């Protein structure tokens, strides 16, 4: 399977804990995006990379959130000191040009 | 306020009926993509439209991009129960840029 891969699929964490998610994009896709989706809503943009450079960050991305793509391949999204409001589906997508392909997402539940 | 407005938010029809989902904006987009998403999964790309006035057909699905590249529609002919899902439109201001999503249209096709 050469699609976008996200790990883990599900994460339950206690409020205040740190969590890290991983995304492996489609090979040779130079752009990688993170989105967040809450129930009943469309995905909201968080941040995106072109190769290893983080080119844009949404105002939704508070200072508790950090994303990296150190070698221009896989990416990680870390949330520090999680809050209940962080509970959502975190989606990763990659693209080479116009079309973006999504992974299956990581469902985060903060209890 | 969403940059892309989808209507209706929810649609329930009988198998065999036709349906149309609309995606409207006051902004011009370089491209517009339609996705279908099932519960607990990531969005799956259905089609990308890039030219004003463009019409694309994918079996029973017909996608249209408005002449001014501000709006789009998705028409499903003779809906099947397998068409049930959340349909999302998403626009990009330039190739490779982040996607701005509509709020989604939840379609339920009853047998």
């Amino acid at each position: 399977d050469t699609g976008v891969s996200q790990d883990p699929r599900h994460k339950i964490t206690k409020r205040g804990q740190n969590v890290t998610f991983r995304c492996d994009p489609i090979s040779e896709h130079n752009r990688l995006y993170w989105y967040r989706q809450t129930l009943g809503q469309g995905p909201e943009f968080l941040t995106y990379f072109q190769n290893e450079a983080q080119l844009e960050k949404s105002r939704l991305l508070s200072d508790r959130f950090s994303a990296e793509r150190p070698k221009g391949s896989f990416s990680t999204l870390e949330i520090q000191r999680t809050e209940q409001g962080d509970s959502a589906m975190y989606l990763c997508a990659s693209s080479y040009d116009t079309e973006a392909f999504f992974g299956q997402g990581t469902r985060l539940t903060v209890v | 306020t969403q940059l892309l407005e989808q209507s209706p938010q929810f649609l329930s029809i009988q198998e065999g009926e036709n349906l149309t989902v609309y995606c409207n904006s006051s902004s011009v987009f370089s491209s517009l993509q339609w996705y279908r998403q099932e519960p607990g999964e990531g969005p799956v790309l259905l089609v990308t439209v890039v030219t004003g006035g463009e019409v694309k057909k994918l079996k029973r699905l017909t996608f249209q991009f408005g002449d001014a590249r501000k709006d789009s529609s998705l028409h499903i002919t003779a809906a099947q129960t397998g068409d049930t899902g959340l349909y999302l439109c998403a626009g990009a201001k330039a190739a490779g840029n982040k996607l701005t999503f509509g709020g989604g249209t939840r379609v339920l096709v009853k047998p």
Side-chain angles (χ1 to χ4, degrees):
Chain A
D1 182 16
T2 56
V4 178
S5 177
Q6 291 189 245
D7 183 67
R9 289 292 312 277
H10 305 274
K11 179 71 177 178
I12 300 174
T13 191
K14 291 185 178 178
R15 192 173 51 187
Q17 297 294 304
N18 300 343
V19 294
T20 300
F21 309 140
R22 178 182 169 120
C23 172
D24 287 89
I26 294 171
S27 299
E28 299 173 359
H29 277 191
N30 59 348
R31 294 188 181 94
L32 186 149
Y33 312 80
W34 286 98
Y35 292 83
R36 181 171 70 186
Q37 185 179 27
T38 52
L39 276 175
Q41 303 294 319
E44 294 176 300
F45 170 77
L46 292 178
T47 188
Y48 104 88
F49 294 83
Q50 181 163 315
N51 300 314
E52 64 274 12
Q54 189 172 18
L55 294 189
E56 188 175 348
K57 292 195 293 186
S58 163
R59 281 176 288 181
L60 291 175
L61 214 65
S62 77
D63 56 7
R64 296 185 297 106
F65 288 68
S66 62
E68 293 182 345
R69 194 183 183 197
K71 297 182 181 179
S73 55
F74 73 92
S75 175
T76 58
L77 176 68
E78 181 183 17
I79 309 174
Q80 295 183 326
R81 305 181 303 282
T82 52
E83 301 172 356
Q84 286 189 317
D86 296 332
S87 295
M89 173 79 93
Y90 289 84
L91 294 163
C92 176
S94 69
S95 77
Y96 181 75
D97 187 10
T98 301
E99 297 184 326
F101 297 88
F102 282 81
Q104 291 180 304
T106 294
R107 166 75 62 193
L108 173 66
T109 303
V110 182
V111 298
Chain B
T1 304
Q2 297 224 323
L3 200 56
L4 276 169
E5 296 285 342
Q6 283 188 241
S7 63
Q9 289 183 304
F10 178 71
L11 199 52
S12 177
I13 59 171
Q14 293 296 135
E15 198 168 27
E17 292 182 340
N18 302 334
L19 69 99
T20 302
V21 177
Y22 300 93
C23 178
N24 296 300
S25 177
S26 57
S27 297
V28 175
F29 291 98
S30 166
S31 66
L32 200 137
Q33 301 177 31
W34 283 93
Y35 292 86
R36 191 176 85 185
Q37 186 178 26
E38 302 203 13
E41 303 291 328
V44 175
L45 181 65
L46 296 175
V47 80
T48 300
V49 285
V50 297
T51 305
E54 182 176 6
V55 176
K56 278 193 174 178
K57 291 193 175 184
L58 188 68
K59 296 182 181 178
R60 295 175 294 101
L61 278 61
T62 302
F63 304 85
Q64 187 162 8
F65 201 11
D67 290 341
R69 290 187 286 127
K70 292 182 180 181
D71 53 83
S72 181
S73 64
L74 156 61
H75 182 79
I76 301 179
T77 304
Q80 300 176 356
T81 55
D83 295 326
T84 292
L86 178 68
Y87 288 83
L88 295 158
C89 66
K93 292 299 183 82
N97 277 19
K98 66 184 181 188
L99 292 173
T100 298
F101 279 84
T105 295
R106 191 161 298 281
V107 172
L108 173 62
V109 183
K110 295 181 283 188

